[in-house]
């Protein structure tokens, strides 16, 4: 079967599609399907979608995010499925217009996938007409840490010039946007660092929201014990997650944190705050 995967872009990274989209494509292609991974920002209008479907002779489609991806597939005559993203259920659901659009998408979708039972229940409660087409598929992550990754070099790039043996590095991996709330723990970690200078908080991620990014940079610049790094290659990030003391999550809204899943092969303390997880 020839089908597209519509994935919201990782804005701030030259519109690179989230790595989870590539992973999904790999699994579907291994099952014998031909998959085209498409950035949703490249297909803004109904006519563009229709042309894409016709030109590529597409037979079915799968989209991440009920609103950002799903609404693009309505009315084009091909069967499609939806994967809930997180903000569609935690944020967009509270906006009347988006809520109505998402309900219409679910009417037309053949199926919808939630990562957790709580996400499924939330969707069923909101759109009872779709309750029999919503399924739970737990999210999984394949990690491939870079064997050549140098933890000391990472620390140096972070502006941390201490012996790695005595450090406690807490990593917060997220795109710089308000829903991820990377500043939530900054003051607490700064106070902790002043009491114990071997404790650092390092924020790693792409600059998604330009205005909020400037706010984060300004705050981090004047806050002892907190560092900010731009997005890293995925293999390097996986290696950094293995070396750090713990992974942080301070999202206001979260479906399933990929960073926590990527860290979990090597169990450590995980810290979350301010999270309204699905």
């Amino acid at each position: 079967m020839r089908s597209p995967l519509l994935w919201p872009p990782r804005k701030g990274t030259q519109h690179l599609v989230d790595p989870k989209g590539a992973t999904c494509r790999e699994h579907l292609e291994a099952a014998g399907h031909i998959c085209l991974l498409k950035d949703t920002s490249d297909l803004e209008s109904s006519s563009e979608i229709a042309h894409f479907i016709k030109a590529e002779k597409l037979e079915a489609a799968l989209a991440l995010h009920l609103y950002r991806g799903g609404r693009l597939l309505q009315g084009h005559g091909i069967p499609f499925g939806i994967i809930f993203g997180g903000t569609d259920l935690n944020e967009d659901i509270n906006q009347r217009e988006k809520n109505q659009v998402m309900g219409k998408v679910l009417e037309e979708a053949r199926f919808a996938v939630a990562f957790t039972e709580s996400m499924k229940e939330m969707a069923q409660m909101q759109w009872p007409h779709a309750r029999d087409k919503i399924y739970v598929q737990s999210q999984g992550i394949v990690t491939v840490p870079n064997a050549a990754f140098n933890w000391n070099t990472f620390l140096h790039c972070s502006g941390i010039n201490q012996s790695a043996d005595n450090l406690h590095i807490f990593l917060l991996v997220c795109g710089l946007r308000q829903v991820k709330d990377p500043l939530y723990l900054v003051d607490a970690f700064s106070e902790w660092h002043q009491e114990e200078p071997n404790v650092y908080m390092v924020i790693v991620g792409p600059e998604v929201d330009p205005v909020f990014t400037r706010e984060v940079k300004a705050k981090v610049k004047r806050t002892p014990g907190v560092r900010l790094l731009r997005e890293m290659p995925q293999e390097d990030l996986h290696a950094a997650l293995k070396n750090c003391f713990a992974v942080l999550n301070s999202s206001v809204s979260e479906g399933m944190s990929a960073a926590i899943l990527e860290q979990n092969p090597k169990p450590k303390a995980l810290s979350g705050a301010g999270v309204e997880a699905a």
Side-chain angles (χ1 to χ4, degrees):
M1 180 178 289
R2 188 173 177 83
S3 61
L5 301 178
L6 298 186
W7 230 257
R10 294 277 295 277
K11 291 182 179 179
T13 56
Q14 293 75 54
H15 294 285
L16 293 178
V17 175
D18 190 296
K20 292 190 289 295
T23 302
C24 187
R25 178 180 61 184
E26 290 172 4
H27 283 288
L28 289 172
E29 289 181 339
H33 302 289
I34 300 173
C35 297
L36 305 177
L37 185 57
K38 197 70 174 176
D39 186 327
T40 56
S41 66
D42 293 337
L43 300 167
E44 293 292 346
S45 70
S46 180
S47 60
E48 287 179 313
I49 291 285
H51 176 75
F52 176 61
I53 291 172
K54 183 178 180 180
E56 297 293 343
K57 297 182 174 61
L58 302 176
E59 301 171 78
L62 178 64
L64 175 71
H65 203 283
L66 184 55
Y67 182 76
R68 293 170 66 188
R71 65 190 172 91
L72 299 175
L73 295 173
Q74 289 180 276
H76 293 293
I78 63 171
F80 66 87
I82 297 296
I83 302 173
F84 293 113
T87 54
D88 43 9
L89 291 178
N90 294 331
E91 302 292 328
D92 295 338
I93 203 172
N94 299 316
Q95 299 182 38
R96 183 178 178 182
E97 183 178 342
K98 289 184 177 181
N99 188 311
Q100 291 176 343
V101 169
M102 292 190 292
K104 293 292 186 182
V105 172
L106 283 176
E107 286 181 9
E108 193 172 337
R110 295 290 183 90
F111 64 88
V113 176
F115 294 140
T116 65
E117 287 290 343
S118 61
M119 290 178 73
K120 175 184 176 180
E121 291 169 5
M122 186 184 301
Q124 288 178 328
M125 185 178 299
Q126 191 65 216
W127 302 290
H129 64 275
R131 64 181 305 108
D132 293 334
K133 61 173 69 174
I134 302 174
Y135 304 89
V136 173
Q137 175 64 61
S138 299
Q139 190 175 356
I141 291 289
V142 177
T143 58
V144 187
N146 181 1
F149 177 80
N150 189 301
W151 180 240
N152 288 317
T153 300
F154 171 84
L155 294 174
H156 179 74
C157 291
S158 303
I160 300 173
N161 299 307
Q162 297 184 36
S163 171
D165 296 334
N166 300 317
L167 288 174
H168 287 163
I169 305 297
F170 292 77
L171 284 186
L172 174 58
V173 182
C174 68
L176 300 186
R177 54 192 179 115
Q178 290 187 338
V179 73
K180 295 301 182 181
D181 203 8
L183 297 180
Y184 182 84
L185 296 169
V186 163
D187 289 335
F189 266 91
S190 183
E191 292 178 13
W192 190 4
H193 171 77
Q194 292 177 65
E195 295 174 3
E196 299 185 46
N198 63 332
V199 172
Y200 284 88
M201 173 183 178
V202 180
I203 303 170
V204 181
E207 300 177 0
V208 179
D209 180 333
V211 175
F212 186 64
T213 293
R214 288 195 291 272
E215 180 183 341
V216 173
K217 287 182 175 180
K219 177 70 173 179
V220 170
K221 187 175 182 180
R222 62 177 185 268
T223 306
V226 181
R227 300 291 188 267
L228 176 63
L229 290 178
R230 301 194 66 166
E231 187 176 31
M232 302 166 56
Q234 192 174 33
E235 292 80 5
D236 289 350
L237 180 59
H238 290 167
L241 290 169
K242 287 184 63 178
N243 281 275
C244 73
F245 182 76
V247 175
L248 303 170
N249 185 321
S250 56
S251 295
V252 174
S253 169
E254 187 69 83
M256 178 61 72
S257 171
I260 288 179
L261 288 173
E262 288 169 334
Q263 187 266 355
N264 259 338
K266 185 179 179 181
K268 300 174 186 174
L270 301 179
S271 175
V275 181
E276 182 184 328

